[in-house]
Amino acid sequence: MIVWDEGGYRNPSADRDSEEVAMADALESGHASFLLERRKVRGAYPLTRIRTGRGGERAAWLLVKQAGDRVPRGGAPYPRRARPARTGRTLGQTARHWVSRSAVFGPPRPPPEASERAGRP
């Protein structure tokens, strides 16, 4: 697993009386906001349901970065140079690491079947 970013978030969702609304309740009503306080991604993001998903359709949501938040220096990273938060390796370095590991330890095993995970034959 690759961890691309680390940090926390806050829920600034509030009702008309400025009382905090639980994230589950905000999502149920179709509008939630969250404030990311992470190493790479920061800022406020409102999330709004634009299609409810009735009649077998999937619900559609719109996620927008709130205006006024400052953009980190350097802009968006070039995808080939993007580095995970924990290892700091590029994707190529990570791939080479796992290829060299499989040469020593053998190829990775497939995940167990659901029945095996549950301890059933």
Side-chain angles (χ1 to χ4, degrees):
M1 174 171 51
I2 296 175
V3 177
W4 287 105
D5 203 357
E6 293 180 306
Y9 77 96
R10 284 190 293 136
N11 173 14
S13 298
D15 63 14
R16 291 185 177 146
D17 298 325
S18 298
E19 297 291 325
E20 183 177 321
V21 175
M23 186 62 76
D25 294 337
L27 290 169
E28 181 68 29
S29 73
H31 183 79
S33 295
F34 52 94
L35 181 63
L36 294 177
E37 298 167 332
R38 308 184 66 76
R39 288 177 50 192
K40 296 179 181 183
V41 180
R42 296 180 166 277
Y45 293 83
L47 179 63
T48 305
R49 186 173 46 229
I50 57 174
R51 187 175 63 221
T52 60
R54 292 188 187 131
E57 282 188 332
R58 289 181 62 183
W61 293 82
L62 177 64
L63 176 67
V64 183
K65 184 161 183 8
Q66 189 167 324
D69 289 332
R70 84 182 165 86
V71 176
R73 274 185 263 148
Y78 180 65
R80 292 189 180 265
R81 289 194 302 258
R83 296 173 184 266
R86 297 231 171 133
T87 65
R89 297 184 185 122
T90 64
L91 284 176
Q93 291 167 332
T94 301
R96 285 190 295 279
H97 169 78
W98 286 106
V99 167
S100 66
R101 272 184 60 91
S102 65
V104 173
F105 297 108
R109 294 186 308 217
E113 295 298 322
S115 61
E116 292 174 19
R117 286 192 299 260
R120 293 182 218 118

